[in-house]
Amino acid sequence: MPSEKSHPPIKIVGVILTYWTVSISMVFANKYLVGDKLSNKLDVSLFVAWAQCVSTVLVVVALVAFRRLVLGHDIELPPLSREILMNRDFLLLSCMFTGMLTFNNLCLKYVGVAFFQVARSMTLIFTVIFSSILLRRVSSLPVWLCCLIVAAGFVLGVDQEKVAGTLSTVGIMYGVSTSLFVSLNGIFTKRLLDMISKNQALAVTYYMNIGGSILFMPLLICFGQFSAAYSSRGTDFSFLLLLASSGVLSFLIGWASNMQIDYTSPVTHHISNNTKAVLQTLLAVFVYSEHKSAIWWLSNCLVVAGAFSYTMVKMREERLRREAEAAAAAAAAGANGKSDQLNI
């Protein structure tokens, strides 16, 4: 995997493995917590997402307190100023974040972990579309071809789920909705990062989960999930223990993701994420003893290949852009030099 930063290889490998472990553990934990469509227990998908938001906020507060009081670091909680809380981008990001968690858990309730990656594979396509609309970034033909490969994998995967008799139309709709909110969440996170000058990763994690904790409240009350969680899972010790653990995991996944980007590069992060998706699918098929057809596996390969190709295309385009900028700067410097000589 390409690396743009100088770190010992053993540390890079350790960070990548940490990201894989935390991310995959989070998916399997959420699958257990939200149950499945055949479960006779009451739906607590929204409650699980809310509890994880609250847990993440508490982890951030505890971490800052520990570093400040025990380690003596000069660090404080990100300020909850009116300028930030009432900022349009923060409010939109909180809505996108809440929608992303909501539909992610609902999708996981209706589809298996093995198909989960394909069900929400439209994220790349939505990201390209919204980057063109909201960020005014024109995408090249190779980028759209990569999106076409992903779309082909998605359609083929849905077809194979139907052939196998395991297709959930509701689950697919939730998966597409998740992709939509994931792409928008990424765009608005970038905008919020531009507002914050320090402790960016910690601050964005803190702000997003505070916003999510607040926005989930009316949804929980409206759908009666507080009472549902208490009546159906309130005395289930294993559920409560895993719920608390998933709250820590929800914090760690953001930390591990940022660490992976810091120790490697954004390109390597995308490659690692695609590799993790393959491992997650293989584990799910093994853990749940599922049998999949060759065409089903082909659909997964198309999704991963499209995402991987997109990463390679964007890396090449970025390199060409930097080379063009360097050539333009050199040409401008040369022209200025000749002008100075003529003026002597």
Side-chain angles (χ1 to χ4, degrees), residues 1-2 7 20 27 30 48 70-71 77 88 91 126 131 147 149 174 195 199 203 231 233 265 268-270 325 341:
M1 292 180 181
H7 291 288
W20 288 1
V27 173
N30 275 351
V48 169
V70 178
L71 301 181
L77 280 173
R88 176 175 173 271
L91 295 174
F126 283 129
S131 293
C147 291
I149 294 173
Y174 286 144
M195 286 178 53
N199 294 332
S231 61
R233 301 291 187 93
S265 70
T268 304
H269 174 65
H270 286 296
E325 289 178 351
Q341 289 179 357

Side-chain angles (χ1 to χ4, degrees), residues 117-133:
Q117 192 65 28
V118 174
R120 39 170 287 176
S121 61
M122 299 292 284
T123 300
L124 173 61
I125 299 173
F126 283 129
T127 298
V128 173
I129 292 173
F130 287 124
S131 293
S132 300
I133 297 174

Side-chain angles (χ1 to χ4, degrees), residues 317-340:
E317 291 180 351
E318 180 64 18
R319 187 184 72 249
L320 292 175
R321 183 186 66 80
R322 289 178 180 177
E323 290 176 354
E325 289 178 351
N336 291 334
K338 289 181 179 180
S339 176
D340 292 341

Side-chain angles (χ1 to χ4, degrees), residues 146 149-150 300-310:
C146 294
I149 294 173
V150 172
N300 278 265
C301 290
L302 286 173
V303 168
V304 173
F308 181 82
S309 300
Y310 170 82

Side-chain angles (χ1 to χ4, degrees), residues 203-282:
V204 170
T205 299
Y206 185 59
Y207 291 141
M208 284 198 305
N209 283 278
I210 284 180
S213 300
I214 296 171
L215 290 177
F216 270 120
M217 293 292 286
L219 295 175
L220 292 171
I221 295 172
C222 179
F223 291 102
Q225 290 209 7
F226 276 124
S227 58
Y230 178 77
S231 61
S232 65
R233 301 291 187 93
T235 57
D236 187 342
F237 178 75
S238 60
F239 173 83
L240 296 176
L241 180 61
L242 191 57
L243 181 63
S245 301
S246 71
V248 177
L249 286 173
S250 67
F251 168 79
L252 289 177
I253 195 169
W255 169 81
S257 179
N258 286 305
M259 282 290 290
Q260 183 169 248
I261 294 174
D262 181 52
Y263 270 67
T264 58
S265 70
V267 171
T268 304
H269 174 65
H270 286 296
I271 296 173
S272 172
N273 197 40
N274 291 328
T275 308
K276 184 271 303 182
V278 174
L279 179 59
Q280 178 178 295
T281 301
L282 292 171

